Amino acid sequence: EAQVTQNPRYLITVTGKKLTVTCSQNMNHEYMSWYRQDPGLGLRQIYYSMNVEVTDKGDVPEGYKVSRKEKRNFPLILESPSPNQTSLYFCASSSDLYRDNEQFFGPGTRLTVL
Amino acid sequence: AQSVTQLGSHVSVSEGALVLLRCNYSSSVPPYLFWYVQYPNQGLQLLLKYTSAATLVKGINGFEAEFKKSETSFHLTKPSAHMSDAAEYFCAVNSYGGATNKLIFGTGTLLAVQP
């Protein structure tokens, strides 16, 4: 089954404790991205990757890091989480950069930073 | 710059009634527009998309949307609501320019369906 998976689905942590949210897709997609969803703000892009070893900032990259060492994986790293990073995070992938292509979303990771 | 505005953060309809969710866009170039649905505790699922072909776009689960350039709108409709349609709906425009496939989302509309 074609899908985007994320782990963990739920995470409660404390300020400053490094964490990684994993994202993996099995569709051989080139393009992957991370979004955060906050009430009243919709979804905003954090980082994206056009292919292996090619990443760039989205609209809200502060406090986050990413890497793309393999085509299928695109982990999101919070090196020193803060309470304002409490949010619902989605990973998405798309076959390429064509603007009419569908993006496939993972099930989301709900992060709480105390 | 492109943007999307969804009017009404909460919409409530009776089962069997018409569903109308509003979306207006702003774009200096011909837009590519999408509607996504988010069921509780799930990721976003594509309902339909407009990519400059037919202005009336049919999607899954009986939903459709009409692109109206003169009104800069892309409203989502369904003739008869079902209880299973209760979810949050997001309108989005694909950004233009640069090497990115970024979606710019509206703030979402939570649809409640009353029995």
Side-chain angles (χ1 to χ4, degrees):
Chain A
E1 177 189 358
Q3 59 182 350
V4 178
T5 57
Q6 294 178 228
N7 282 292
R9 293 289 311 279
Y10 302 89
L11 179 60
I12 300 175
T13 189
V14 296
T15 299
K17 186 176 182 181
K18 181 179 179 180
L19 65 92
T20 299
V21 183
T22 64
C23 172
S24 183
Q25 50 91 6
N26 62 1
M27 296 169 280
N28 201 36
H29 283 172
E30 291 188 355
Y31 183 89
M32 298 184 74
S33 64
W34 277 101
Y35 293 85
R36 61 177 288 174
Q37 181 182 8
D38 301 291
L41 296 177
L43 285 82
R44 295 174 292 168
Q45 191 185 57
I46 303 170
Y47 266 95
Y48 65 93
S49 169
M50 292 180 288
N51 214 323
V52 175
E53 301 292 3
V54 182
T55 64
D56 206 347
K57 297 177 181 179
D59 294 323
V60 288
E62 294 77 20
Y64 304 95
K65 285 177 57 177
V66 294
S67 69
R68 188 95 180 270
K69 293 183 169 49
E70 303 168 282
K71 196 171 187 179
R72 64 184 293 128
N73 296 325
F74 190 46
L76 179 69
I77 303 158
L78 285 72
E79 297 221 326
S80 184
S82 63
N84 65 10
Q85 292 178 297
T86 292
S87 187
L88 180 58
Y89 292 87
F90 289 101
C91 180
S93 73
S94 178
S95 57
D96 50 43
L97 285 180
Y98 287 110
R99 293 171 57 223
D100 60 342
N101 275 350
E102 176 182 358
Q103 292 199 29
F104 294 83
F105 285 80
T109 295
R110 186 168 293 280
L111 172 66
T112 301
V113 183
L114 302 174
Chain B
Q2 293 163 297
S3 65
V4 166
T5 301
Q6 291 184 242
L7 297 175
S9 58
H10 290 79
V11 170
S12 182
V13 301
S14 298
E15 193 173 19
L18 171 71
V19 176
L20 171 60
L21 305 182
R22 300 178 186 275
C23 173
N24 288 89
Y25 70 90
S26 172
S27 178
S28 57
V29 298
Y32 288 165
L33 294 159
F34 302 79
W35 274 99
Y36 281 86
V37 60
Q38 183 180 23
Y39 298 104
N41 298 315
Q42 294 187 28
L44 280 74
Q45 178 182 359
L46 181 68
L47 270 179
L48 50 81
K49 63 180 180 181
Y50 167 75
T51 59
S52 74
T55 56
L56 182 62
V57 181
K58 295 189 183 299
I60 62 172
N61 300 338
F63 284 93
E64 63 181 36
E66 186 171 9
F67 174 73
K68 292 187 177 180
K69 184 178 179 180
S70 61
E71 299 177 8
T72 62
S73 69
F74 190 56
H75 301 333
L76 182 70
T77 60
K78 182 174 180 178
S80 177
H82 192 272
M83 297 295 289
S84 60
D85 295 326
E88 190 159 21
Y89 293 80
F90 292 93
C91 183
V93 61
N94 199 308
S95 66
Y96 179 81
T100 178
N101 196 7
K102 179 174 66 179
L103 287 169
I104 299 168
F105 286 88
T107 53
T109 298
L110 190 60
L111 175 67
V113 181
Q114 308 298 330

